[in-house]
Structures are given as C-alpha cells and as structure tokens.
Amino acid sequence: MNTGKYTAILRTDNVTIGYAHAKQQSIIAQNLNCEIFEGEMLCLLGPNGSGKSTFIRSISGLQPALSGSIYIHNQRIDGKNANQLAKNMSVVLTDTVHIPNTTVWDIVSYGRHPHTNWLGMLSETDHAIISDAIEKVGLTDFQNRHLNTLSDGEKQRTMIAKALAQDTDFIILDEPTAHLDLPNRIAIMKLLKDLAHSTRKSILLSTHELDLALQVADRIWLMQKQAPMLCGTPEDLVLQGSFQKVFSTHAFDFDINTGFFKINFPVQHYVSLSGEQPFLLWTTRALYKYGIAVKDKYSAIPHIHAADNQWHIEFNNKHCVCSSIFELLSALPQM
Amino acid sequence: MQKPILYIIIFAALLPIVFCFDIIFGSIAIPFREVWCFLFSAECSTTYSTIISNIRIPRALVALLTGLALPVSGLCMQTFFRNPLAGPDILGVSTGASLGVALFSLAGGFGGILASQNFSVLSGFGAIACAAAGAMLIMMLVLVVAPKMHDTSTLLIIGIMFSSITSAIVSILQYISNPQEIQQFLLWTFGSFSGIRLAHIGIMASIVIPALLITFGMQKSLNALLLGENYARGLGVSIKRLRFKTLLMASFLAAVITAFTGPIGFVGMAIPHIARLIFKTANHKILIPASALIGANLVLACDLISQMPGFDTALPINVVTSIVCAPVVIFVIFSSRKFQR
C-alpha cells in the first residue's frame, strides 16, 4: 500500500511482547513492526500461542510491551494517561459483561465516559452520539432492552456500539466473533468492515476466522510462532504462500486454488466417478472423508455414476444401485 | 428519568420522621410536644430534655451515621469485587476491630482488669480506640497486599484468610479469659448505638461525612468498573488509583463505624440490593445516595424496634438488623419479580 496516500493511525516499532516476572522475561513475540491506516479493517491472525491476545493487550495499553514502542497518532501510548488513551482508542474485549438493571442504552452511554465531567452528565451531543452508535450497529429497537435478555451476537453489537460512542479514530477488538454462530460471525465481520469504510475509523481485530478474514479484511497481520509477523492484503499473503506456511499442518492444508482449508485424510482406496453436479461434488467430499480418492476410470477400481439422487456402482461385473450417499458408503466396502 | 429523583426525595423526607420516632420511643415514650419543645424552644421539662440530649439524640445520630455509611461501603465492595455477597466486612475489617477490642478486654488486658472490677469500660473511648486500631491494622494489611494482586478474586480470598486468622486469635483469647471478661466482650459483639458521647459522635461524623462525599465523587469511575477492570481502563479509568481509593474508602467507612458501634450485621450487604431493586439501576450516581438514605431509614427503624416501648431490655442491634433486613430483601425480591411480569 502507498503510505503516502494513507495516514497511519497506529504504528508499532520493534515491539517485543510477553510477560515480565520478577527476575526473568518470558518473550512471546518480538520484532513486531506494523502500522494501521485510516479507514482500514485489519485482522490479526495467527495460530494459538502465537501471541495475538498479548499483542492486542499491549496495543490497547492493558499490558506494557517489553521493549520497542507503540505510537498512536505519532505519540507513544505509554506516555499517555488512561484518559488520554481512551480518547484515542476504544476496546472491545472478550471479558463477559454482566450488569443487572442495565439496558443497551446504558452500556453504550459508558462509551462517553472519557468525554464527560466527574458527574458523568450527558449533554445533548452525547445523547445524539449514543443514539447514532446504537443505530449504526442496528440495535435501535433493542436500546431499552436489558443486557441479560440479549443474545451473544446482540451483546457483542452493544459493546461495539459502546466503542463507537467513545468516538475514537481507532477501535481494537479481541476476538469479537468468539462464541457466535456462523450467521452472527459473518454479520459482525461485515458490520466492522462497513463501519471502517463508512466512518473512516481504523479497526483492528484478532480472530480465528481464517475464511472470513480472507473475505473481508483490508489487510492482515499474520503472527507466526518463532518467526516475524507478516503484513499484507489477504490475497498477497495467500499468493506468497504465507497462509500455507503458517497454518498448514499434517492434519490439514490450505488449498491455494479454492481458498479453503482442507482436512487431510490419508487416502487408502480409489474409485472412479462420473455423473452430474452437484452430485459429483458432494459424492467426492463424502468419499474423501473415508479416505477414498477419485481417479480416472480403469478396471481395477470401482466406478460410481452419480446423478438424480441415484448412485450406480460397478465393480468386478457386479452392479448395485443406491438411493443415498449413506447407502453408497455402506455398499462400497462390500464390493 | 424523574422516578429515581422522586424516590430519593421520598426517602429523604422519610428520614426526619423516622429520626423523630427514634427519639420519641424508647423504654419510656416521650411526648412529641416535649421533643418539639426540646428542638425549637429553650424552656422544657428537664427530665425529658436530659433523656433526649444525653441518650436519645446521640443514639439516633449514631444509628443515622451507621445507616448512611455501611451500605455505601457495602456497595463499593460489591462493585469492586463484582460479587453480590460482598459487604463492608468482606476483607476482615470488622473482625480486625473485634481483635482490637479482644486484645483490650480479654485475657487480662488492661480493659479486662477494669471490667472485672465492674467498670463498664467497653462503652468508653478505650474500646473505640482499640477497635479502630484493630480495624485500621487489617485495612493497612489489605491495602499493602492489594496492589500485588492481579485479580480481585485472589484479593477476596486473602481478605477472607485475614478475617479467619483474626477470628481464630479472638477465639484463643476468649478461651483463656475469665467469664466476666468474656461477657463484656460478647456484649460488645452484639453491637450498640448507645453510650457514645456527643463529642465522640462529632469525631465520627467528621470522618464519615467527608468519606461519603469522596465516595460519591468516585461514582463515575465505579460505573465504568461495572464493565470489568479492563473495560474500565479502556474507558480512561486509572485502575490502580481507583482500586486504592475504593478499598480505602470502603474499609475506612466500615472501620470507623465498627469502632464506635461494634459489629452491625447485614446492613452493608443487604441495603445495596434493596436500593438496586427499588431503583432498578446499576448507576452509582443514584445507588450511592439511595443506599445511604434507605440505610439510614432502615437502621433507625431497627433501632426503634430494638428498644420497643413496653420492654425493659433493649434487643442487641446486631441481631435486629439481621432479623429485619433479611426479610426485607426477600420481600423486595419477590415483589419486584411480580412487577417485572
């Protein structure tokens, strides 16, 4: 990306993260150099134990970096007090929030905390900002609902609205899609992406959702164990082979041609296959799970013809018709 | 929006009425005319005015201050530890006070020697000073340990350990003491609003009222703390300072009250819940004054009950607060469920 065109909101310079104990330091990751630009949605990815959460905590000022500096608007974050920092960045964490007698509106109004006086009086402007934040996350109809009546997805939206109400250029979220079902995971990611583009805020989130991150992130920071962090657009990282390197194990592979992660099942048998879509695709997938791979037709292996919810198996002059994949899978070993 | 203010006005208006009732009723009922006369004109019957000025008013004032302070302390502790069962004594402050008094009065301590000669020393300033010293000792220990703890649940465990060590020491002292000393000490543990001189009440008020005001000044940060320490930090709260201030104020209020009155059970833990249920909010800007006002009304009422007219002996206040507050909490829970449906 052309840094001349975009303004860097946050920048890390040779940051080492980890925990300092009385006598020794335990380093989790080092040489972290990266920046996030205005209006950008950035996903922080990495295997468990690569230090995503620690990095998020360090950037949000909850935990000091062991060395190096983190700058927001070209000012070191450790030189700022809590209130100044709260005006520069807002956080959405994985901590569970359970407050009785508290509505969505109340929680979102906490976002105005750094901007109000000691009494916490909310002005007309504050009210407008809070309502606007609630509307942006689509909770206007829920604003008087009590927090404990909300689903996990709605709770997460509430916390995002709180961060919006804090009115900062930079929002940092620690695994915002954890505990959510797939439609909610997609909705939250889409929401964050739209917010980044429409409000020109920079949004950094850590996530385990590789597929989703590939689809929505403007750029990705990819943390690896015992190796430098990689930065770039998801597509660049894929084409450079970084995804395969970081995430592929003996158990699964990142398929560069489809963009999907594929679980490796050791192939023990072969069949040949003909027929129509979508029966071909789903038959292949079902067979793959049982270690059966598809090859070109030849006489030493069974042949399956799949079409119209009918599966014809031919092998050693025997013939058998199945009406479901379940039947097919139980018929195959007998052939 | 206006409802909380209305409720606060109601409780505030109720307070002088309950206060007057507490002055009027006792082992002998004083006619209201006499109380009015005592308050607003110089010429009154002397017997009544002596009772009013030397017994009833100090007693009611101590009850009032206790009712204001303990619920606020309990509310802070509940928010701080994110635990609805927390109360002013969760960190062992009032067991610390009882240790102070026990060291003073039990096992041949100085106060004990006087007590064995039938001096009622445990209502004097000696006991107050010792209770304060014991409570402050535990409070200091907690404040020294607190910054080293990363999360509040560990601190809670440490506090409970402090409190069990202290009560164990108190038990040892009781075990090796003579019956007279033990009786004196037991009387102290029942709690009492009486026998405190007006001058001492002045000291008490000059500590409690500023502490309450400082606590109210922390309401915005306490609200942020409801989201958890990390979120509060993200909202610009200096957690280290808030932790210290909250612990200091909550333990301090508990320590001062316990030093003067002895242990007062249940008020600090229960009343914040009553306030939450009535006011239906978690906002400390409302809950702090609400808890204080409900507390003051309820403790004065408890004091009234403890010295019901027609009974020769007054019930120990520590027992009355528990017996009265627990059903009130149960009642409020049940009635608010009904309203919610």
Side-chain angles (χ1 to χ4, degrees), chain B residues 20-151:
Chain B
C20 281
F21 271 117
D22 196 35
I23 294 175
I24 292 166
F25 294 106
S27 43
I28 42 162
I30 298 171
F32 180 72
R33 192 163 27 87
E34 296 293 335
V35 178
W36 186 265
C37 153
F38 174 83
L39 289 174
F40 299 104
S41 66
E43 290 174 30
C44 338
S45 116
T46 44
T47 12
Y48 283 136
S49 70
T50 318
I51 296 176
I52 293 173
S53 67
N54 290 352
I55 299 169
R56 297 285 170 85
I57 286 194
R59 209 187 148 106
L61 282 174
V62 173
L64 175 74
L65 287 170
T66 306
L68 290 172
L70 286 183
V72 174
S73 166
L75 177 67
C76 289
M77 291 293 195
Q78 284 168 7
T79 302
F80 184 87
F81 288 109
R82 310 185 79 191
N83 187 333
L85 290 177
D89 191 35
I90 195 83
L91 295 173
V93 170
S94 67
T95 37
S98 70
L99 177 68
V101 174
L103 285 172
F104 176 66
S105 63
L106 293 176
F110 174 70
I113 295 165
L114 290 178
S116 58
Q117 282 148 24
N118 273 331
F119 282 102
S120 179
V121 280
L122 287 188
S123 54
F125 200 69
I128 294 173
C130 288
M136 294 295 162
L137 174 78
I138 296 291
M139 196 180 97
M140 292 302 169
L141 278 175
V142 168
L143 289 176
V144 166
V145 172
K148 297 186 172 67
M149 299 294 132
H150 287 295
D151 68 298

Side-chain angles (χ1 to χ4, degrees), chain A residues 29 50 65 72-74 90-91 93 152 182 208 214 235 241 247 267-268 274 276 281-282 284 286 303 314 318 328 331:
Chain A
S50 58
I72 188 155
H73 293 298
N74 286 321
S90 41
V91 291
L93 305 162
D152 284 344
L182 187 63
H208 287 289
L214 281 176
E235 296 75 17
F247 287 109
V267 176
Q268 285 152 348
S274 64
E276 294 165 5
L281 171 71
W282 292 98
T284 316
H303 177 74
E314 272 173 58
K318 278 191 271 180
L328 171 75

Side-chain angles (χ1 to χ4, degrees), chain B residues 306-326:
Chain B
S306 81
Q307 39 172 351
M308 277 306 251
F311 290 94
D312 282 346
T313 48
L315 291 170
I317 189 67
N318 190 1
V319 180
V320 178
T321 51
S322 299
I323 288 179
V324 170
C325 286

Side-chain angles (χ1 to χ4, degrees), chain B residues 98-336:
Chain B
S98 70
L99 177 68
V101 174
L103 285 172
F104 176 66
S105 63
L106 293 176
F110 174 70
I113 295 165
L114 290 178
S116 58
Q117 282 148 24
N118 273 331
F119 282 102
S120 179
V121 280
L122 287 188
S123 54
F125 200 69
I128 294 173
C130 288
M136 294 295 162
L137 174 78
I138 296 291
M139 196 180 97
M140 292 302 169
L141 278 175
V142 168
L143 289 176
V144 166
V145 172
K148 297 186 172 67
M149 299 294 132
H150 287 295
D151 68 298
T152 48
S153 48
T154 2
L155 183 60
L156 194 59
I157 296 168
I158 301 258
I160 292 168
M161 292 306 119
F162 277 154
S163 134
S164 24
I165 294 169
T166 351
S167 45
I169 297 173
V170 172
S171 298
I172 294 171
L173 288 172
Q174 279 180 303
Y175 185 70
I176 57 173
S177 301
N178 66 46
Q180 246 165 338
E181 292 171 332
I182 293 175
Q183 198 195 4
Q184 289 279 332
F185 178 72
L186 275 182
L187 280 177
W188 182 83
T189 63
F190 286 144
S192 166
F193 293 148
S194 54
I196 301 171
R197 279 191 278 136
L198 267 176
H200 296 163
I201 293 170
I203 299 172
M204 195 175 164
S206 60
I207 300 169
V208 167
I209 289 164
L212 285 174
L213 292 176
I214 293 172
T215 312
F216 184 72
M218 290 156 35
Q219 54 87 15
K220 189 179 146 185
S221 306
L222 287 171
N223 281 340
L225 197 59
L226 289 172
L227 292 170
E229 289 199 359
N230 288 331
Y231 269 123
R233 187 116 150 233
L235 288 172
V237 174
S238 163
I239 288 297
K240 251 188 202 162
R241 210 185 313 155
L242 179 65
R243 267 181 150 210
F244 181 78
K245 271 166 73 182
T246 314
L247 278 182
L248 181 71
M249 284 305 138
S251 330
F252 198 58
L253 284 170
V256 171
I257 296 297
T258 318
F260 282 91
T261 65
I264 304 294
F266 218 67
V267 171
M269 186 236 138
I271 285 167
H273 291 294
I274 299 176
R276 277 190 206 99
L277 287 162
I278 293 177
F279 285 80
K280 303 238 182 307
T281 180
N283 188 346
H284 289 79
K285 196 175 17 180
I286 296 162
L287 283 184
I288 290 175
S291 302
L293 285 173
I294 296 174
N297 278 307
L298 215 58
V299 171
L300 280 167
C302 287
D303 188 44
L304 206 56
I305 293 167
S306 81
Q307 39 172 351
M308 277 306 251
F311 290 94
D312 282 346
T313 48
L315 291 170
I317 189 67
N318 190 1
V319 180
V320 178
T321 51
S322 299
I323 288 179
V324 170
C325 286
V328 169
V329 172
I330 295 170
F331 170 77
V332 175
I333 287 174
F334 272 105
S335 58
S336 71

